[in-house]
Amino acid sequence: MITIIGAGRVGASTAYSLLMNEVDTEITLIDIVQGLPQGEALDLNHAAAILGKSVTVKGSNDYKDMEGSDIVIITAGLARKPGMTREQLAAQNAEIVAGIADQVRKYAPNSIVMLTTNPSDVMVYVLYKRLKFPRERVIGFSGALDTRRLAYYASQIIGISPSAIIPVVLGQHGENMYPVPEASMVYGKPLSEFLTKEQMDEIVKKTIQAGADITNLRKFSSNWGPGAGLTIMADAIKKDRKTVIEASVYLDGEYGVKDVFVEVPVVFGKRGAEKVIELNLNAEQRRKFMESVEAVKNNLKTVPPQYLQ
């Protein structure tokens, strides 16, 4: 069973994507708002019936209903509004994430937990500290979205499918993320050989601003992209695919960094984030990566210490 905590736009979109791809036969939606997860579940069950999907969705207001979950996906929390950065949500969302972590530890102690709540690198650190699970079972969602955004923007210039691009985005999921088009590849050929310096600068800027652009245009933040990204991560875990997906994971010496969650390439399998792939960064790339890491650490300082225990 896969449980999604938070039945708002991201939670509902994730449930729909999981259903469409039949990642699991059972999905549970949990939310504190009475009637919301039940209503979403009923609508999703109707969709499954129409499309012939062998998936059952349950809605609940009781955390106990996550018992037996293989994967728990946390989407709950305050979403950013137009003009806000992800980082500004840290102090407010820490309380929500810490409370949910306590419930997950109680009812789903053997689960692999993924989180989207912003600022995701900081919130997944809070989650990790509260859960006290092994690091491979606590994963921040972001890289699967940021990398494919970079691939999308590059593909529009080059005129190829985004799927032909292996993109690299490192560090923070936020204003200080580090898209690396010169380390991204098109079937063994560096992306930088397809683009001018000005074009690379353009796709870097668009990748960083993508979330804000969506929020400013429609007045609420991204949900379909996160839903799709969480689905490929959950699918890789459930089916032990050993595929590489970027995610925010706890570093314990990799890249010369310790005690922080940031976006890096990770091997996904049945144990969760099974292995960090360390890229060979040149001096300039390492400098930019470390600047992004420091941005996460600085944002973490805004979290009240009681939520890190």
Side-chain angles (χ1 to χ4, degrees):
M1 180 174 73
I2 297 176
T3 291
I4 301 168
I5 300 177
R9 290 189 179 96
V10 175
S13 299
T14 302
Y16 182 71
S17 185
L18 290 168
L19 182 156
M20 288 294 293
N21 289 275
E22 296 183 289
V23 176
D24 202 320
T25 58
E26 295 180 72
I27 299 169
T28 297
L29 271 173
I30 296 176
D31 201 290
I32 60 172
V33 178
Q34 295 293 319
L36 177 61
Q38 292 87 348
E40 290 288 358
L42 186 58
D43 201 8
L44 286 162
N45 282 320
H46 294 167
I50 293 167
L51 297 168
K53 301 295 182 181
S54 300
V55 180
T56 300
V57 185
K58 176 182 178 180
S60 174
N61 302 116
D62 190 342
Y63 286 112
K64 189 176 186 298
D65 285 330
M66 77 173 86
E67 283 184 328
S69 296
D70 304 302
I71 297 173
V72 174
I73 299 172
I74 300 171
T75 68
L78 300 175
R80 67 170 170 165
K81 298 176 181 178
M84 291 182 69
T85 65
R86 298 178 182 92
E87 292 77 14
Q88 289 172 316
L89 295 167
Q92 294 170 293
N93 277 336
E95 181 178 6
I96 296 171
V97 169
I100 292 171
D102 294 343
Q103 298 296 323
V104 174
R105 189 173 66 248
K106 180 178 180 180
Y107 293 116
N110 298 314
S111 63
I112 294 168
V113 189
M114 299 191 291
L115 173 142
T116 67
T117 310
N118 276 318
S120 61
D121 309 297
V122 172
M123 291 302 100
V124 73
Y125 186 89
V126 173
L127 182 68
Y128 175 68
K129 290 294 185 179
R130 296 288 286 207
L131 284 175
K132 297 178 173 55
F133 286 6
R135 66 169 182 159
E136 65 269 16
R137 288 170 46 205
V138 184
I139 306 164
F141 170 80
S142 55
L145 179 63
D146 293 333
T147 53
R148 299 323 301 181
R149 283 172 168 169
L150 185 145
Y152 168 76
Y153 291 122
S155 74
Q156 298 303 291
I157 296 173
I158 301 171
I160 61 174
S161 168
S163 65
I165 300 171
I166 301 174
V168 175
V169 179
L170 301 173
Q172 182 200 50
H173 176 60
E175 308 304 307
N176 292 284
M177 76 172 66
Y178 176 37
V180 198
E182 63 271 23
S184 304
M185 308 294 286
V186 180
Y187 284 95
K189 193 170 184 178
L191 189 57
S192 56
E193 293 189 23
F194 294 85
L195 301 167
T196 65
K197 175 64 166 59
E198 291 73 22
Q199 288 171 329
M200 286 200 295
D201 290 343
E202 178 186 353
I203 66 170
V204 165
K205 182 179 179 181
K206 285 184 174 180
T207 301
I208 294 171
Q209 292 183 343
D213 288 343
I214 291 169
T215 303
N216 290 333
L217 284 166
R218 65 181 193 179
K219 312 310 176 190
F220 56 89
S221 58
S222 175
N223 58 292
W224 295 109
L230 286 162
T231 296
I232 66 165
M233 292 164 69
D235 180 78
I237 293 167
K238 293 288 290 187
K239 297 174 184 176
D240 195 26
R241 292 193 182 277
K242 309 298 186 190
T243 190
V244 177
I245 304 170
E246 284 209 21
S248 185
V249 295
Y250 185 85
L251 297 185
D252 189 24
E254 297 91 350
Y255 292 91
V257 174
K258 285 192 172 187
D259 196 34
V260 68
F261 277 78
V262 290
E263 292 183 13
V264 290
V266 178
V267 177
F268 273 75
K270 63 183 178 182
R271 292 186 293 110
E274 296 188 345
K275 182 182 180 181
V276 172
I277 303 296
E278 293 190 65
L279 302 178
N280 294 320
L281 303 179
N282 62 34
E284 178 64 9
Q285 290 168 342
R286 177 162 178 77
R287 182 186 68 79
K288 291 180 179 179
F289 172 67
M290 292 305 298
E291 285 178 355
S292 191
V293 171
E294 286 304 312
V296 175
K297 291 182 176 180
N298 288 333
N299 195 201
L300 189 58
K301 294 175 183 177
T302 67
V303 174
Q306 66 265 31
Y307 302 130
L308 298 173
Q309 300 172 0

